[in-house]
Structures are given as C-alpha cells and as structure tokens.
Amino acid sequence: MSATKGLEGIVAAESKISSIIDDTLTYVGYNIDDLADNASFEEVIYLLWHTRLPKADELAELKQQLADNMSIPQAIVDQFKAYPLSTVHPMAALRTAVSLLGVFDEEADVMDPEANYRKAIRLQAKIATVVTAFARVRKGLEPVAPKPELGYAANFLYMLKGEEPAAIEVEAFDKALVLHADHELNASTFTARVCVATLSDVYSGVTAAIGALKGPLHGGANEQVMKMLSEIGSLDNVESYIQTKLDNKEKIMGFGHRVYRKGDPRAPHLRVMSQKLTELTGKPELYEMSVKIHDMIVEQKKLPANVDFFSASVYDSLGIDHDLFTPIFAVSRTSGWVAHILEQYANNRLIRPRAEYVGPGMQKYVPISER
Ligand SMILES: CC(=O)SCCNC(=O)CCNC(=O)[C@H](O)C(C)(C)COP(=O)(O)OP(=O)(O)OC[C@H]1O[C@@H](n2cnc3c(N)ncnc32)[C@H](O)[C@@H]1OP(=O)(O)O
Ligand SMILES: O=C([O-])CC(=O)C(=O)O
C-alpha cells in the first residue's frame, strides 16, 4: 500500500451533480458559462437538488419555500451577542450557528428522503439569515428580517445592509452565488460526504463542510486575496510586493488549482464583474491591481487565477466586509453540499480509506519510570 499525497487524482465517488472535464465545469451537464449568464441562484439550487432544471411553477414553489423558512431562532442571535465579537471570525460563528440550527430542528435526526429535503430547504434559507445577522450583531445592530418578496440574492444584501440593493448589485451577487454553488469533489464537499456516509445528519455534514471551507487553501482564500490587495494598496506597489513574495517562495492566494490546468472557467466571469463594479464604485485601481498581479503570476508561475481571486474585488465593490467573503462562499456552496449529502444518502457506503503506516516497527511498552 502506498499513499497518494492529498488524494490527488483519486476518484472517490460517483456523482451526477457536477463535473470538471478538460477544464470545463458543468452542473448536471449544463456549462457553467451558460448558467452564469442565464440562471438564477434558485434555479441552480433546484438543478443541483433534483438534477434537472425547474419548470416555472417548481421554481416559484422553491422560492416561496426559501422565503418562508428564512427566519432563525432568537437563541442564535442571543448566542452571537455573547461571543467575543471583536475577535471571533464569522466562519467560526457560522460553523457554530449551523450546528445550533440542527439543535433547534426537531427533524434533525429523521433520516427519510422527504425529511432530509425539508431540512435542505430550511438550511439553505436560514444560512443567509445567519451570516447577515452575525454581521450586524457584531456591529451593535439588530438583524433585519427578510422580505419575502425579494429573491435569495437580493434578500441577502437587504438583510446585510438594511436597505434594498440596486439591480446591478443583485445581478452581480446572484451570479457569484451561481458560480460558487458546486464544484465536484472539492475538500469541503468531500468532508460533507465523509461525514454523512456514517449516516450522520445533514446539519453535521454541513457543519463539517464549513470547517473545511474555512481554510485559506480552500474557501478562505478569497479573504486572503483581499488582505493582499489591501496590503499592496496601490498599482505602483504591485510589482515589488508580488516579486518579493515569489522570491520568498510564498503562495499567492487566489492562484492555482488541484484540478484545473488551463484555468478556472469561473474566474473570467468574476473578472468581468470586477471590472464593471470597481468602475461603478470609483475604485478602478482595485481591478487594475488585480490584473497586474494576475499577469505576473501567469507569466512567472504559469498559474491561472481560481474562483477566489476576482471574487475578492467583486465583494469589496459590493461594500461587503472582507471577513464575510468566505461565509458568502458557504452560503452558496450549501446548495452543493446538500446536493452531495442527499446523493450520498441515496447510495450510501461508509467512506473509510486506508493509511500507509510509516511509523516505527513493533515496539515493546516501556513503563513510565524506565523512560
Ligand atoms: C475554492 C478553492 O478552493 S480554489 C483554491 C483556493 N486556494 C488558493 O487560492 C490558495 C493558493 N493556492 C494553493 O495553495 C494551491 O494552488 C491549491 C491548494 C489550490 C492547490 O494545491 P495543490 O494541487 O496541492 O498544489 P501544490 O500546493 O502542491 O502546488 C504545486 C506547486 O505549485 C506551487 N503553487 C501552487 N499554488 C501556488 C500559488 N497560489 N502561488 C505560488 N505557488 C503556487 C506550489 O508552491 C508548488 O510548487 P513546488 O512544486 O515547487 O513546491
Ligand atoms: O475544487 C476545488 O478543489 C476547489 C474549488 O475550486 C471549489 O471548491 O470551488
């Protein structure tokens, strides 16, 4: 037995949900470019959960179900108020709150497919409220109740800021949600599947996935990209900052990918949005800096940008706090996690690989007094 470091190239599950073949990403066979340009996030949720696009009445029903389930237990808001708010990261708050949602869901451990689907809707609906409520509570503000007549993306921005977003903001945010919704067997989705393959519950699977997404090698990279852009500060500083990092053999966040070689097909969509939004908000330098970084990394490291690189300047342009970028990724990816969890339950087998033992050979126990 010999180990493959990082399970690179190992096919660990069959899935009908999304595929990456020759650098092309599809959700259920629909090209991500097509979906990014045409589908709403709610349509994508339906697609991932039912492996087909919804008809008009089915989409209306899902939107209604999401709107009806957005409120969260007051106990979660009260918990937030008790946190050390100046230091707690929103991803830690989210991880804990999703676990708490499970505590308050009477059906949490009911394992039939209908109950699991109802939980999927509740979780997808409430996770937007959880993230926005935490974002407000830590600023000493009260959470804003969702408006049932708004779509998912608009409601998120409304609950975050307390005012209805402009159409262009909704369009950009909705597209970002579509682009982040699913991605084959990425680290957090794999984590979710491993968790529920023990027949643990949906909330445990998503809580585990949030923990995996939090790391800077995965979803946490978008916040780190913004940190880097803020540190660089101006177009003039890009070259020396990036060159120093490269000379020191440091990783540049938002670049590289385990699966894509030619490039992440989501990045060009985010790049276009970044250009448009930074111009609109009067911060075109942020986009120009991003492009300069991009060109240096592509030229010197031959590494293309991944989904996290241009999303940073997109979310910044939408006036979103930088440490909320990864929680927003989680809000979108919940749709994919849940799709994979339901798929895992439908054809389950415990996921239990082996480890190649590389420690010492057989040893004889030595009493503590003789060590
Ligand atoms: C949503 C997402 O999760 S997308 C990914 C988000 N993560 C990031 O943007 C973090 C930065 N990128 C990375 O760390 C990596 O590219 C990963 C984690 C995404 C993929 O990692 P892996 O497939 O394991 O590649 P690995 O980390 O082994 O890198 C291979 C080589 O490329 C280099 N490399 C990879 N990414 C980068 C980068 N962003 N900057 C500089 N060098 C890099 C590594 O240093 C390594 O070089 P070496 O062979 O000389 O040691
Ligand atoms: O697939 C991966 O390894 C990471 C990624 O891009 C994602 O989860 O969107």
Side-chain angles (χ1 to χ4, degrees):
M1 274 197 309
S2 71
T4 306
K5 200 166 179 197
L7 298 183
E8 180 164 4
I10 303 289
V11 177
E14 284 186 354
S15 178
K16 293 183 174 146
I17 301 166
S18 62
S19 71
I20 306 166
I21 300 169
D22 295 336
D23 284 25
T24 299
L25 170 63
T26 69
Y27 296 167
V28 197
Y30 295 95
N31 193 304
I32 192 65
D33 296 334
D34 212 1
L35 294 170
D37 289 342
N38 298 300
S40 68
F41 181 51
E42 289 94 328
E43 265 183 289
V44 164
I45 297 173
Y46 193 99
L47 174 64
L48 298 174
W49 292 359
H50 296 268
T51 59
R52 66 175 175 82
L53 286 169
K55 296 191 171 73
D57 59 332
E58 292 166 332
L59 181 59
E61 187 188 11
L62 176 65
K63 284 184 172 176
Q64 191 60 51
Q65 288 168 328
L66 290 170
D68 289 347
N69 281 284
M70 277 190 156
S71 67
I72 57 172
Q74 181 59 33
I76 292 184
V77 177
D78 293 342
Q79 277 256 330
F80 288 160
K81 290 180 181 169
Y83 288 167
L85 287 169
S86 59
T87 54
V88 70
H89 194 283
M91 277 302 273
L94 177 63
R95 187 190 57 219
T96 307
V98 166
S99 183
L100 208 47
L101 283 175
V103 169
F104 284 101
D105 190 329
E106 289 175 1
E107 280 195 312
D109 289 313
V110 181
M111 289 302 275
D112 66 71
E114 289 77 23
N116 281 332
Y117 188 75
R118 287 192 292 275
K119 281 177 266 180
I121 288 172
R122 288 199 282 274
L123 189 45
Q124 185 69 60
K126 292 182 197 312
I127 197 164
T129 319
V130 165
V131 171
T132 54
F134 179 75
R136 292 181 68 83
V137 165
R138 69 174 174 166
K139 289 183 173 163
L141 302 168
E142 280 305 311
V144 169
K147 275 195 181 172
E149 67 273 23
L150 296 181
Y152 194 94
N155 238 326
F156 183 94
L157 295 173
Y158 170 67
M159 289 191 285
L160 185 65
K161 298 183 186 183
E163 55 190 47
E164 282 201 31
I168 178 132
E169 294 177 311
V170 178
E171 190 196 323
F173 194 67
D174 193 57
K175 198 178 280 212
L177 294 178
V178 167
L179 290 168
H180 285 82
D182 196 47
H183 210 245
E184 202 223 44
L185 213 52
N186 62 85
S188 54
T189 301
F190 184 54
T191 302
R193 289 189 80 129
V194 170
C195 178
V196 302
T198 67
L199 294 185
S200 188
D201 66 288
V202 173
Y203 292 97
S204 298
V206 173
T207 303
I210 291 170
L213 188 75
K214 182 170 178 280
L217 295 188
H218 190 15
N222 55 12
E223 182 186 344
Q224 298 306 316
V225 171
M226 199 60 226
K227 189 166 172 258
M228 171 174 74
L229 288 166
S230 305
E231 276 169 14
I232 296 174
S234 77
L235 193 56
D236 289 343
N237 295 337
V238 169
E239 201 163 333
S240 61
Y241 182 100
I242 295 294
Q243 200 55 56
T244 306
K245 290 240 175 221
L246 291 178
D247 292 347
N248 292 339
K249 305 236 171 300
E250 284 178 54
K251 278 188 169 175
I252 310 295
M253 294 292 123
F255 291 88
H257 200 278
R258 177 59 70 77
V259 181
Y260 294 118
R261 285 299 162 251
K262 294 195 286 277
D264 183 331
R266 300 164 295 180
H269 291 278
L270 291 155
R271 179 177 172 149
V272 170
M273 270 197 269
S274 166
Q275 180 170 26
K276 204 158 135 185
L277 291 171
T278 52
E279 256 168 39
L280 270 172
T281 52
K283 289 205 267 181
E285 198 173 9
L286 203 54
Y287 174 72
E288 289 155 17
M289 283 160 61
S290 304
V291 170
K292 195 161 176 182
I293 297 169
H294 175 267
D295 293 349
M296 283 183 76
I297 305 303
V298 171
E299 192 190 313
Q300 295 192 38
K301 301 288 297 185
K302 310 278 175 271
L303 285 172
N306 59 49
V307 72
D308 286 318
F309 187 64
F310 285 103
S311 65
S313 44
V314 166
Y315 295 145
D316 179 76
S317 303
L318 292 173
I320 294 170
D321 291 344
H322 301 165
D323 57 2
L324 296 179
F325 294 2
T326 314
I328 286 170
F329 194 153
V331 165
S332 166
R333 187 55 60 85
T334 293
S335 61
W337 291 331
V338 162
H340 281 266
I341 287 171
L342 299 180
E343 189 178 59
Q344 185 66 38
Y345 285 146
N347 187 20
N348 190 55
R349 191 164 188 226
L350 180 78
I351 299 172
R352 199 295 188 197
R354 296 297 310 272
E356 179 187 1
Y357 179 67
V358 293
M362 290 301 285
Q363 305 202 74
K364 192 163 165 27
Y365 180 79
V366 182
I368 198 160
S369 57
E370 293 170 26
R371 278 176 230 161

